[in-house]
């Protein structure tokens, strides 16, 4: 089967200014979505435009994609998939409970055989669908949590220093924090 190749003009579209009547809708969609922070693959999925065309359109419009976000997005997607997989496994365990009830209430040999087979099949499926979490996965998840926590703390420290104009580890900062704690405690006690 021959491979479909897009003509050279497709994918090299340039978004025109708002007042220009020659705006190319595909280019405008790509530019707007890229400016919203979406990646090349996400734009392709949402618009149906092949990712290679998204790349060419972005390049023609002077847009580059931040590849450092790819790893973060990949980790988030893997976490979503594991969560969905765990949800399916949980549903299978519920189905096993129903099949066990059918086994207990079977009146004929046929019903008993059907329920037994269902329990065996569902158990195998549940075992396959239960996500495996290795020790290394847990270590990596913990490391990432600590890196994210460190970034969040650094952001809070920076905001505090900018707002109050004193270094966070100074005696003045401790005094400000103590006043803030005192005010919060008094607000909690008031009816």
């Amino acid at each position: 089967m021959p491979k479909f190749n897009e003509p050279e003009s497709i994918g090299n579209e340039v978004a025109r200014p708002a007042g220009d009547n020659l705006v190319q809708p595909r280019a405008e969609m790509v530019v707007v979505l890229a400016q919203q922070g979406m990646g090349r693959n996400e734009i392709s999925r949402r618009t149906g435009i092949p990712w290679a065309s998204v790349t060419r359109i972005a390049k023609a419009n002077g847009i580059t994609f931040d590849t450092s976000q790819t790893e973060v997005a990949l980790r988030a997607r893997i976490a979503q998939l594991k969560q969905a997989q765990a949800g399916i496994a949980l549903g299978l365990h519920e189905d096993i409970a129903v099949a066990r009830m059918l086994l207990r209430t079977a009146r004929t040999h046929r019903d008993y055989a059907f329920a037994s087979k269902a329990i065996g099949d569902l158990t195998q499926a549940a075992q396959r669908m239960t996500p495996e979490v290795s020790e290394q996965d847990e270590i990596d998840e913990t490391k990432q949590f600590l890196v994210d926590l460190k970034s969040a703390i650094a952001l809070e420290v920076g905001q505090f220093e900018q707002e109050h104009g004193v270094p966070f580890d100074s005696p003045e900062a401790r005094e400000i924090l103590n006043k803030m704690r005192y005010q919060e405690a008094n607000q909690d006690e008031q009816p």
Side-chain angles (χ1 to χ4, degrees), residues 151-168:
S151 298
I153 290 171
L155 181 65
E156 288 295 322
V157 167
Q159 288 176 345
F160 178 87
E161 289 176 348
Q162 184 178 10
E163 183 178 331
H164 298 286
V166 296
F168 188 75

Side-chain angles (χ1 to χ4, degrees), residues 115-189:
S116 297
K117 173 83 168 117
I119 290 170
D121 292 346
L122 288 168
T123 301
Q124 287 180 357
Q127 287 173 344
R128 285 191 302 267
M129 291 304 294
T130 302
E132 293 182 24
V133 179
S134 69
E135 188 175 329
Q136 186 60 43
D137 289 341
E138 290 178 357
I139 290 170
D140 290 343
E141 189 176 321
T142 303
K143 283 181 182 177
Q144 188 58 47
F145 170 77
L146 292 173
V147 167
D148 293 344
L149 180 62
K150 181 181 176 184
S151 298
I153 290 171
L155 181 65
E156 288 295 322
V157 167
Q159 288 176 345
F160 178 87
E161 289 176 348
Q162 184 178 10
E163 183 178 331
H164 298 286
V166 296
F168 188 75
D169 57 353
S170 68
E172 294 88 5
R174 273 189 225 111
E175 189 176 314
I176 292 169
L177 290 171
N178 286 335
K179 285 180 183 177
M180 290 169 69
R181 283 188 201 115
Y182 178 76
Q183 290 173 350
E184 286 177 11
N186 286 340
Q187 286 178 352
D188 291 341
E189 292 175 5

